[in-house]
Amino acid sequence: MLELDKVIGQIQPGDRFLLCSDGLSKTLSEPELQSLLGAPEGVPPTELLIAAALAHRVNDNVTAVVVEV
């Protein structure tokens, strides 16, 4: 099943958008996703997100793409 979220509004510098598989979105809570997406620069957020899902012993595929404005 495909679920899409549609966001309407102004894009601002620094905004981040997450495109991910359900292996990630069903494994990590929204607060966890927000925290990892808001982590300071250094380690790419995709690496943090996938590592967190693997630490939760995800049993599905995990895909994450982060687009930053």
Side-chain angles (χ1 to χ4, degrees):
M1 181 169 90
L2 178 64
E3 290 182 39
L4 299 174
D5 285 334
K6 181 178 180 182
V7 178
I8 298 173
Q10 293 287 328
I11 296 174
Q12 301 295 321
D15 283 351
R16 287 184 175 173
F17 296 90
L18 173 63
L19 307 171
C20 67
S21 63
D22 62 345
L24 184 68
S25 64
K26 289 183 178 178
T27 301
L28 301 180
S29 67
E30 277 197 41
E32 287 174 301
L33 291 170
Q34 289 174 350
S35 175
L36 294 168
L37 282 171
E41 291 189 30
V43 178
T46 50
E47 288 185 27
L48 296 173
L49 291 161
I50 291 170
L54 293 174
H56 279 78
R57 297 194 179 273
V58 63
N59 60 0
D60 198 354
N61 64 349
V62 178
T63 303
V65 175
V66 175
V67 178
E68 185 170 346
V69 178

